[in-house]
Amino acid sequence: MVTIVVGGHFGDEGKGKVISYLALKDKPDIIARAGVGPNAGHTVFKGGRKYGLRMIPCGFINEDSRLLIGAGVLVDPERFLKEVEITGTGDRIAIDERCAIIEKRHKEEDATNEFLKKRVGTTGSGCGPANAERAHRTIRLAREIPQLREYLTDVPLEVNSAIDEGKDVLIEASQGFWLSLFYGTYPYVTSKDTSAGMAAVDIGVGPTRIDDVVVIYKSYTTRVGEGPLNTLITEENIRKYPLWQEILSEAKKKGFTGRGVNDILAHYLGERGTVTQRQRRIGSFDFELARYSAMVNGATQMGITCLDKIFPECYRVRDYDDLSERAKEYIGEIERKVGVNATLISTGPEPEDMIDLRQ
Ligand code: GTP
Ligand code: IMP
Ligand code: MG
């Protein structure tokens, strides 16, 4: 089986959490990281310890899985080596020798280019400038970096051989569909496409070999950096949303403050970027964008995370029948409007906090 996990909104949907669950539950032989590069920030818990990962596959928490980084992914050698050390995965991780390398000058350009910094709101990780240079064909590749030599491999060869042998492969995409360079809210997007098709390309797997595409959404829609968020919750429109009025009053009751409604909600929901620590904007679930991204991604299943953040009574629930009625209705509404079954419902940050409805 080959499964791709991909983000359906603006990134930070909690792919890290879903992948950590799948890694432990399904025990894939190979877990391969796709996506743009270290602009991604994934949060994973292992044994009560929290990891903020930008390069290493989140599935590392399964100690028996082979870990790979596909040729499409940009590699920041310093960051990669640091994460290999933090996670203790040096004996089972490899990167494709054709991965393009992020250098100091790429990060400097992100930091000084006014358009990227102010208008796009880049994460500053050098990905945009590096992908631009890759298109210019003047960038260095992983095989030219001595410190990476011991980690080099041919990812497509490894992955396709494993598929031929009937092994299981989990492909982790990064970012979210609406940050796609091709389909997203241009110019407020990242420097590459971010859909499931691109994730397959990143790893070197043909479209005919993919069995499942799991699109992940958070129970509400968030966005970090610049660009439109159509369902943004504001002082003016919160009256239209009884659920959000309730969440806001709960936040205030618990003593959360801020400069306006969205600020208070972001503090209460703990919505701060993993890479940049920037605060994320909070929106109600954007059904329209969710439906479109499910279509282009070819979603076969849907994962919904952070259900407990808006319905606290669902915290750590692992059985669908134990969800509150209002939470079940909420999930049902998303399924109807997006047109895909919710098979993985996350009710807490730890890998085990999951309702698994897969057949
Ligand atoms: P991707 O970028 O999509 O991988 O998501 P992420 O892992 O970067 O998401 P992010 O770091 O924004 O995750 C949000 C936070 O919520 C993290 O601290 C996660 O550990 C946590 N989280 C993920 N799923 C759940 C959930 O179902 N309930 C709760 N309470 N927290 C969750
Ligand atoms: P860049 O890819 O760092 O240049 O960032 C471009 C835009 O995409 C900015 O608005 C970022 O905030 C956003 N972005 C890039 N990667 C992520 C991610 O992993 N999660 C959320 N937003 C991201
Ligand atoms: Mg993230």
Side-chain angles (χ1 to χ4, degrees):
M1 282 285 285
V2 184
T3 305
I4 297 179
V5 175
V6 72
H9 272 142
F10 296 100
D12 307 322
E13 297 93 351
K15 293 182 290 295
K17 155 64 203 276
V18 174
I19 291 160
S20 66
Y21 170 77
L22 294 176
L24 293 180
K25 174 80 180 166
D26 297 353
K27 304 181 177 54
D29 299 283
I30 292 181
I31 302 177
R33 167 78 147 75
V36 181
N39 50 352
H42 302 280
T43 310
V44 183
F45 283 83
K46 185 190 183 208
R49 187 173 160 195
K50 186 173 175 175
Y51 295 84
L53 299 176
R54 294 169 51 189
M55 290 258 53
I56 300 275
C58 303
F60 88 92
I61 66 165
N62 182 332
E63 291 172 7
D64 297 323
S65 299
R66 168 81 165 151
L67 306 174
L68 299 173
I69 298 182
V73 182
L74 296 166
V75 169
D76 181 333
E78 211 177 300
R79 182 73 206 172
F80 169 76
L81 294 169
K82 192 170 162 199
E83 288 187 14
V84 168
E85 195 189 314
I86 293 169
T87 55
T89 49
D91 55 345
R92 59 190 176 102
I93 191 161
I95 66 181
D96 194 277
E97 58 168 2
R98 293 152 289 196
C99 287
I101 296 299
I102 296 179
E103 317 243 4
K104 203 163 153 228
R105 66 174 184 283
H106 299 127
K107 287 183 255 191
E108 280 165 4
E109 192 180 336
D110 255 351
T112 52
N113 182 311
E114 285 297 303
F115 180 77
L116 295 176
K117 200 173 154 193
K118 297 263 164 61
R119 287 238 13 238
V120 178
T122 165
T123 61
S125 49
C127 291
N131 268 336
E133 195 179 332
R134 194 175 198 175
H136 281 130
R137 282 145 290 179
T138 50
I139 203 164
R140 285 206 295 169
L141 302 184
R143 63 180 174 230
E144 295 167 64
I145 311 296
Q147 300 91 303
L148 296 179
R149 199 159 291 151
E150 62 181 294
Y151 299 104
L152 300 183
T153 192
D154 185 317
V155 169
L157 210 51
E158 275 204 41
V159 172
N160 286 281
S161 309
I163 300 170
D164 289 342
E165 290 167 28
K167 292 183 172 167
D168 290 332
V169 178
L170 178 62
I171 299 177
E172 308 181 5
S174 70
Q175 283 73 42
F177 179 78
W178 292 98
L179 292 174
S180 163
L181 178 64
F182 299 166
Y183 299 108
T185 55
Y186 190 90
Y188 307 103
V189 293
T190 188
S191 51
K192 206 173 84 177
D193 176 48
T194 53
S195 65
M198 181 57 84
V201 171
D202 286 337
I203 304 301
V205 180
T208 53
R209 310 210 83 174
I210 307 300
D211 299 288
D212 259 321
V213 175
V214 186
V215 182
I216 311 298
Y217 304 96
K218 194 147 48 183
S219 299
Y220 45 95
T221 304
T222 61
R223 183 163 199 174
V224 66
E226 301 306 312
L229 178 60
N230 294 336
T231 58
L232 186 79
I233 309 241
T234 63
E235 267 78 9
E236 291 74 43
N237 68 18
I238 195 163
R239 280 173 218 101
K240 286 197 304 191
Y241 303 106
L243 174 64
W244 284 101
Q245 277 176 305
E246 199 180 309
I247 296 169
L248 181 67
S249 70
E250 192 61 29
K252 286 181 176 164
K253 215 188 298 167
K254 294 221 163 89
F256 287 89
T257 55
R259 289 167 285 111
V261 162
N262 213 273
D263 210 32
I264 300 171
L265 289 172
H267 292 160
Y268 174 66
L269 296 167
E271 288 295 348
R272 195 161 275 285
T274 313
V275 176
T276 56
Q277 293 301 313
R278 290 178 297 178
Q279 188 167 305
R280 298 176 185 146
R281 286 171 282 158
I282 313 293
S284 64
F285 191 93
D286 192 323
F287 295 102
E288 204 180 319
L289 297 194
R291 188 175 176 85
Y292 196 93
S293 68
M295 174 183 79
V296 179
N297 281 312
T300 56
Q301 303 180 46
M302 169 165 68
I304 298 176
T305 67
C306 297
L307 190 67
D308 56 296
K309 287 204 192 179
I310 54 173
F311 301 116
E313 71 278 10
C314 299
Y315 182 56
R316 307 207 78 171
V317 166
R318 294 179 195 178
D319 194 332
Y320 181 83
D321 294 335
D322 294 336
L323 289 177
S324 59
E325 279 313 310
R326 60 179 191 157
K328 285 184 193 161
E329 275 168 33
Y330 193 78
I331 302 270
E333 185 184 4
I334 295 176
E335 287 183 313
R336 266 194 320 282
K337 292 187 176 167
V338 177
V340 181
N341 287 339
T343 50
L344 293 163
I345 300 167
S346 175
T347 55
E350 299 276 348
E352 307 77 39
D353 305 329
M354 184 69 88
I355 298 168
D356 188 345
L357 301 171
R358 293 175 300 164
Q359 299 301 324

